[in-house]
């Protein structure tokens, strides 16, 4: 039986790398994307060109009806869902004193509520032997100024991982989080000058930014062979903390 993955935020960055890696592992993939249809279709085409199976589904991850429809599509097309990768997210920056609360609310809606909504469908639908994989961030531990709202959402994601792993007792479904360090994606690079990027790249002992493929490697491990890893947060960050 072919394993089936739903990957949110799958049209760009870490989500796209995870989708492509899972497809290369032989998993059929549903790319869930917010609005960039061209990039989602490009990802699907790339996976198919490499011999994999993929379809795209547009959904606001915080909209429970849209997310349910994406899971419906996965079940109708591929027969079920085994793996969920929660990688949809936004990262507006600002100090606690100055952040616009409308921006804060949107960050919470996408990163916190969105992860919860997707995880809710996963908890209801995943087959035995399944895996739920959250994407957090090493900024939760690094405590960078201006990342307060973002770190707050990701701290919540890590807490949800612990709870959900225990709620799924007896179902043979693992729940884990990957917390990348600075990774060379548009989400991370946008709005940063080269000096800032260079400084962050030198912080890990490996002295480079992570690549999306570095994170996808850990996602692949948790999605398949890592059946005895459960309720954990893995900080894939080159040793920065």
């Amino acid at each position: 039986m072919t394993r089936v993955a739903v990957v949110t935020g799958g049209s760009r960055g870490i989500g796209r790398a995870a989708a492509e890696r899972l497809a290369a592992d032989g998993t059929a993939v549903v790319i869930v994307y917010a609005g960039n249809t061209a990039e989602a279709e490009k990802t699907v085409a790339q996976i198919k060109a490499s011999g994999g199976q993929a379809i795209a589904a547009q959904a606001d991850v915080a909209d429970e009806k849209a997310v349910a429809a994406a899971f419906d599509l996965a079940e109708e097309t591929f027969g079920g869902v085994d793996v969920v990768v929660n990688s949809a997210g936004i990262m507006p920056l600002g100090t606690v004193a100055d952040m616009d609360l409308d921006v804060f609310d949107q960050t919470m809606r996408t990163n916190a509520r969105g992860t919860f909504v997707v995880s809710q469908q996963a908890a209801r639908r995943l087959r035995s032997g399944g895996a739920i994989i959250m994407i957090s961030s090493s900024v939760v531990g690094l405590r960078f100024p201006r990342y307060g709202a973002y770190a707050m959402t990701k701290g919540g994601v890590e807490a949800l991982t612990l709870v959900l792993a225990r709620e799924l007792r007896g179902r043979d479904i693992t729940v884990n989080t990957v917390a990348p360090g600075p990774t060379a994606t548009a989400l991370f690079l946008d709005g940063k000058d080269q000096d800032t990027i260079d400084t962050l790249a030198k912080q890990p002992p490996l002295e480079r930014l992570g690549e999306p493929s570095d994170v996808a490697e850990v996602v692949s491990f948790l999605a398949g062979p890592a059946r005895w890893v459960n309720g954990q947060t893995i900080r894939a960050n080159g040793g920065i903390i």
Side-chain angles (χ1 to χ4, degrees):
M1 182 180 69
T2 300
R3 283 170 73 79
V4 180
V6 172
V7 181
T8 70
S11 65
R12 299 177 69 197
I14 288 170
R16 178 173 182 168
E20 291 176 344
R21 174 56 191 265
L22 291 174
D25 292 341
T27 305
V29 180
V30 179
I31 307 289
V32 178
Y33 68 100
N36 196 329
T37 302
E39 285 299 314
E41 290 178 349
K42 185 176 176 182
T43 305
V44 169
Q46 178 65 41
I47 289 172
K48 288 182 174 179
S50 299
Q53 301 180 73
I55 56 173
Q58 184 172 11
D60 171 359
V61 290
D63 180 339
E64 63 272 28
K65 292 181 180 178
V67 170
F71 275 76
D72 288 344
L73 180 63
E75 292 173 346
E76 291 161 5
T77 306
F78 297 123
V81 181
D82 304 284
V83 177
V84 170
V85 182
N86 265 307
S87 57
I90 59 175
M91 191 173 65
L93 303 181
T95 64
V96 174
D98 295 331
M99 173 158 277
D100 185 296
L101 289 179
D102 288 338
V103 175
F104 173 84
D105 288 343
Q106 182 59 49
T107 307
M108 292 295 295
R109 185 177 189 279
T110 299
N111 297 3
R113 178 188 166 95
T115 296
F116 191 95
V117 168
V118 173
S119 297
Q120 184 175 73
Q121 289 297 318
R124 292 172 178 174
R125 303 203 198 200
L126 252 62
R127 295 184 286 207
S128 180
I132 300 170
I133 302 162
M134 316 290 194
I135 302 296
S136 178
S137 170
S138 289
V139 78
V140 173
L142 290 169
R143 300 177 290 276
F144 289 148
R146 304 184 69 242
Y147 283 79
Y150 181 72
M152 188 175 174
T153 64
K154 294 305 187 179
V157 167
E158 293 183 16
L160 179 64
T161 297
L162 298 170
V163 173
L164 185 55
R166 285 152 182 79
E167 288 183 350
L168 295 178
R169 175 180 292 275
R171 297 251 321 260
D172 190 23
I173 295 170
T174 62
V175 188
N176 293 289
T177 293
V178 182
T183 304
T185 65
L187 181 69
F188 171 76
L189 296 173
D190 285 354
K192 293 182 175 67
D193 60 38
Q194 192 60 48
D195 285 345
T196 299
I197 293 168
D198 290 344
T199 297
L200 288 169
K202 290 176 182 175
Q203 289 193 8
L206 297 178
E207 293 192 339
R208 66 173 177 87
L209 294 178
E211 295 294 335
S213 59
D214 293 321
V215 183
E217 187 88 17
V218 184
V219 171
S220 172
F221 172 66
L222 295 173
R227 301 310 305 163
W228 197 232
V229 180
N230 193 25
Q232 304 300 311
T233 294
I234 298 175
R235 303 207 177 279
N237 59 27
I240 193 169
I241 54 172

